[in-house]
Amino acid sequence: MGEKQFDAIVVGAGFAGLYMLHKLRERGLKVRVIEAADGVGGTWYWSRYPGARCDSDSIFYTFTFSKELYQKWRWPERYSAQPDILKYLNFVADELNLRPDIQFETRVTKASFNDKKKKWEIETDTNEKLEAKYFISGVGCLSTTNIPPFEGVETFKGEKYHTGRWPHEGVDFTGKRVVIIGNGSSGVQAMPIIAKQAKELTLLMRTPHYVAEARNHPLTTEQQDKAMANYEYIRNAFFTTPGGIHSYSTGKSATELPPEEQKKQLEYVWESGGLALGSVFSDVGVSKETNFVVSQFVRDKIDEIVEDPEVAKKLHPDYYITTKRLIIGTNYYEIFNEDHVNLVSLKENPIVRIVENGVELENGTIECDAIVFATGYDSMTGSILRMDIRGRDGQPLKEKWENGKVVKTYLGLSVQNFPNFFMITGPQSPSVLTNMPSSIEQHVDWIDRCIEYLEENNVQTIEAKEDAEVEWAKQCDDIANTTLFPYTNSWYTGANLDGSTKRSGFVIYVGGLNNYRKICDEVADKNYEGFLLD
Ligand code: N01
């Protein structure tokens, strides 16, 4: 095999790409990972904004495929800070000696399936042409940043940052007037830290969101030892739970409990911290009644914490809780009690344009020295479609998916007419509704088993059948339609970008990772039912 010939090309050196490389290399395949950054880490390489931290408990947000690897690493905090996760992924890359097969500072620009050769031809921004039998995307669901096309953005003379592309050397906001646009997970984590430095901080808020307290804390040696000893319990969560993580639940609908018990349970999860507001009752995501109980609890908390009743009211979210990603933060609502922190509701006072010294709103201009865009991502499909992927007869994936508005996959893993192309945590898989390492391990293990089957049986190509795609999209939609998700515009529905409308269909499998795993395993057990093998 020549220098440019590989068995598999994997895109991205985050959790997904690293584990995929490890598995396929163990299988004896010649693999190259292509990574745009100059180091491993994926999202944890780029998202270095102040306060960046994971919202899955660190003892679960880790690889579990190897007990030895799991037990070699100690997480210092309940929720890991970005630098620690990045350190961990570097540790994994070293432990498994992955770096020799990763090509850094290179972006895949195009990948075309050559039907005669039955190979993928891959082009890069370094003007290389590589060939591989398998083309595997590990680009992540949230990696293509979104800066809304505000008029005049280029005229601003101050500093501009996006949370997902933060300068490595950090930013000192001391004495500065800062405007932040966006209050999703990134903005909510960044604001309390920026507020500590800035002379003035103004949040321009389009939609108020639900923020639960993280209650992060250092892990004691005893807690770390316990996590090591509990390896089997933690690994088991990857296989048996809907989210790939153990989370607290009463197992009951709020409607089955008297109001005082509801309140007791909600206070318990609020004080314990984390995402359990979404799991404390069994039907938060499906019952409007239960959802109201939980969302009203958060609105009451906002009223307790925020001293100015008018500001508190502006911060009241009104969509169904958990239909946008539940956010965990640290002292987020509290910062609005500080004199130098201001809140502008864009619904009352929209952005007109960005000007050289600040942001012009309908009711006046806010002058500032820096603008932080915490405006999120072209989620789920953006990073896949940024590569010009072409299947048989040169069909662009962009065309097949109508620019991301009509996603067609089988199991979120494979696409008809795109043979030997696999997506790790692709759209229509459980992905972002789960603990990501759990989903990543499941997908990588499945793809690895599939490739083993193909190699052992001399199969040249595998791809989804068209009717399997149609059926899978229906299954994803049918399940989503039993929940409250479709009621809300969000990055889950693809309606977060300016000018975008909801995708047709819900592109996340919401039936749980445990059930999804069973479906995928059954498909494999039946010699890849729903796939065309040639
Ligand atoms: O992005 P977001 P994010 N004008 O899309 C606003 C993961 N993550 O980077 O809600 C004004 O959630 C937008 O407003 P609205 C996690 O899965 C995890 O914060 O669309 N505002 C919103 O407030 C998370 O969900 C962690 O009305 C505009 C914000 O920008 C996902 O990444 C940490 C606007 C974008 O919020 C994305 O989070 C960080 C406009 N034109 C991220 N356009 C943890 O693990 C957008 N907005 C804790």
Side-chain angles (χ1 to χ4, degrees):
M1 223 176 251
E3 258 302 280
K4 306 290 175 192
Q5 303 280 329
F6 296 89
D7 294 310
I9 295 281
V10 179
V11 194
F15 270 93
L18 294 180
Y19 183 39
M20 193 78 251
L21 168 60
H22 172 65
K23 285 298 272 188
L24 294 182
R25 223 175 44 178
E26 278 203 320
R27 189 161 292 300
L29 265 56
K30 186 175 174 195
V31 187
R32 179 169 286 182
V33 173
I34 307 287
E35 168 57 56
D38 66 5
V40 301
T43 194
W44 299 106
Y45 173 94
W46 298 106
S47 293
R48 298 173 188 236
Y49 62 84
R53 192 176 283 289
C54 185
D55 59 7
S56 280
D57 277 85
S58 55
I59 57 172
F60 290 95
Y61 197 82
T62 180
F63 285 123
T64 64
F65 64 85
S66 155
K67 185 172 182 177
E68 196 195 340
L69 191 70
Y70 185 88
Q71 294 187 332
K72 265 194 180 171
W73 183 262
R74 285 177 178 258
W75 291 105
E77 293 182 88
R78 175 180 180 188
Y79 294 108
S80 298
Q82 174 272 336
D84 287 323
I85 304 176
L86 189 58
K87 239 185 257 167
Y88 170 73
L89 290 170
N90 275 284
F91 152 82
V92 171
D94 290 335
E95 281 292 309
L96 305 175
N97 188 28
L98 299 175
R99 289 179 210 279
D101 294 309
I102 306 175
Q103 181 171 335
F104 292 106
E105 297 182 87
T106 307
R107 198 175 271 286
V108 170
T109 51
K110 189 170 181 184
S112 323
F113 184 72
N114 182 324
D115 213 355
K116 278 199 199 104
K117 290 187 184 168
K118 310 278 181 229
K119 287 270 173 73
W120 280 93
E121 295 171 341
I122 287 124
E123 296 175 29
T124 69
D125 63 354
T126 46
N127 292 322
E128 281 166 286
K129 286 195 165 67
L130 312 173
E131 271 188 15
K133 181 172 177 187
Y134 304 107
F135 178 54
I136 304 171
S137 165
V139 294
C141 307
L142 295 155
S143 49
T144 299
T145 51
N146 162 47
I147 294 195
F150 295 119
E151 185 191 326
V153 71
E154 68 296 339
T155 64
F156 181 63
K157 294 239 167 81
E159 303 156 39
K160 282 187 292 230
Y161 305 101
H162 189 285
T163 43
R165 287 289 178 279
W166 205 257
H168 287 199
E169 62 281 11
V171 180
D172 183 4
F173 289 111
T174 306
K176 295 195 172 141
R177 297 161 305 166
V178 181
V179 159
I180 183 163
I181 305 176
N183 49 304
S185 298
S186 306
V188 162
Q189 289 186 328
M191 272 182 260
I193 314 273
I194 297 175
K196 278 194 191 138
Q197 294 178 347
K199 185 165 136 202
E200 201 172 279
L201 174 65
T202 304
L203 166 63
L204 304 183
M205 175 185 72
R206 188 161 71 177
T207 312
H209 296 306
Y210 298 95
V211 181
E213 266 298 316
R215 309 213 188 276
N216 180 47
H217 55 78
L219 292 179
T220 60
T221 311
E222 290 73 34
Q223 286 166 326
Q224 290 173 343
D225 287 347
K226 196 170 161 208
M228 303 273 166
N230 278 348
Y231 166 76
E232 268 80 22
Y233 166 81
I234 284 156
R235 174 129 179 98
N236 183 266
F238 277 41
F239 287 78
T240 58
T241 63
I245 186 166
H246 288 302
S247 45
Y248 177 77
S249 179
T250 57
K252 292 198 168 90
S253 166
T255 57
E256 292 175 67
L257 301 169
E260 48 298 356
E261 182 59 21
Q262 293 172 352
K263 180 89 174 31
K264 193 176 138 205
Q265 290 295 337
L266 287 164
E267 286 291 352
Y268 171 73
V269 295
W270 183 264
E271 287 308 318
S272 313
L275 294 168
L277 281 174
S279 60
V280 57
F281 305 122
S282 55
D283 55 354
V284 180
V286 296
S287 153
K288 290 183 182 172
E289 291 76 16
T290 293
N291 199 281
F292 181 80
V293 170
V294 181
S295 61
Q296 189 54 41
F297 174 81
V298 180
R299 285 187 287 270
D300 291 345
K301 282 288 173 199
I302 296 171
D303 290 345
E304 274 173 34
I305 298 167
V306 178
E307 289 156 11
D308 181 334
E310 267 183 44
V311 175
K313 198 150 175 253
K314 278 188 196 167
L315 289 166
H316 277 190
D318 64 359
Y319 56 88
Y320 294 115
I321 189 167
T322 69
T323 56
K324 284 182 183 235
R325 172 68 173 228
L326 184 59
I327 298 169
I328 65 168
T330 300
N331 297 329
Y332 168 68
Y333 291 123
E334 282 82 351
I335 59 169
F336 295 100
N337 294 331
E338 294 182 34
D339 290 340
H340 72 303
V341 177
N342 312 306
L343 173 67
V344 174
S345 163
L346 294 175
K347 293 215 167 100
E348 294 165 9
N349 192 6
I351 295 174
V352 178
R353 62 178 68 81
I354 292 179
V355 289
E356 52 176 67
N357 61 344
V359 183
E360 185 184 326
L361 305 173
E362 251 178 40
N363 296 337
T365 296
I366 299 184
E367 292 186 10
C368 62
D369 307 300
I371 302 177
V372 174
F373 293 93
T375 41
Y377 298 87
D378 184 352
S379 60
M380 310 308 295
T381 53
S383 303
I384 297 174
L385 294 181
R386 190 157 59 157
M387 299 179 282
D388 182 6
I389 303 177
R390 292 175 182 243
R392 284 210 175 85
D393 310 317
Q395 185 189 24
L397 187 59
K398 222 177 204 169
E399 204 175 280
K400 172 158 177 154
W401 284 2
E402 298 182 25
N403 271 323
K405 286 295 155 201
V406 186
V407 171
K408 294 174 185 166
T409 80
Y410 181 35
L411 304 172
L413 271 163
S414 167
V415 183
Q416 177 262 341
N417 216 30
F418 292 74
N420 295 354
F421 168 55
F422 297 102
M423 295 171 291
I424 305 170
T425 66
Q428 296 182 337
S429 76
S431 69
V432 291
L433 292 180
T434 69
N435 178 45
M436 285 308 282
S438 313
S439 276
I440 287 168
E441 284 197 8
Q442 184 267 336
H443 260 187
V444 169
D445 289 344
W446 191 93
I447 294 167
D448 175 59
R449 177 180 168 191
C450 176
I451 287 178
E452 176 186 37
Y453 180 88
L454 302 180
E455 295 296 308
E456 282 182 357
N457 293 284
N458 284 325
V459 178
Q460 296 231 51
T461 59
I462 184 168
E463 70 186 279
K465 286 184 184 163
E466 203 166 358
D467 56 347
E469 279 187 345
V470 173
E471 181 50 40
W472 184 247
K474 185 175 175 318
Q475 203 167 324
C476 288
D477 283 352
D478 286 352
I479 304 174
N481 288 335
T482 65
T483 72
L484 300 172
F485 281 113
Y487 287 95
T488 306
N489 283 338
S490 66
W491 64 255
Y492 294 151
T493 64
N496 61 318
L497 305 183
D498 281 41
S500 65
T501 49
K502 260 188 190 174
R503 296 185 173 104
S504 85
F506 199 73
V507 297
I508 309 169
Y509 176 82
V510 297
L513 179 60
N514 47 350
N515 294 323
Y516 174 78
R517 182 187 288 275
K518 274 187 212 134
I519 296 170
C520 292
D521 287 349
E522 271 170 33
V523 165
D525 291 344
K526 292 181 185 162
N527 296 334
Y528 299 91
E529 190 179 49
F531 285 92
L532 198 66
L533 278 66
D534 196 10

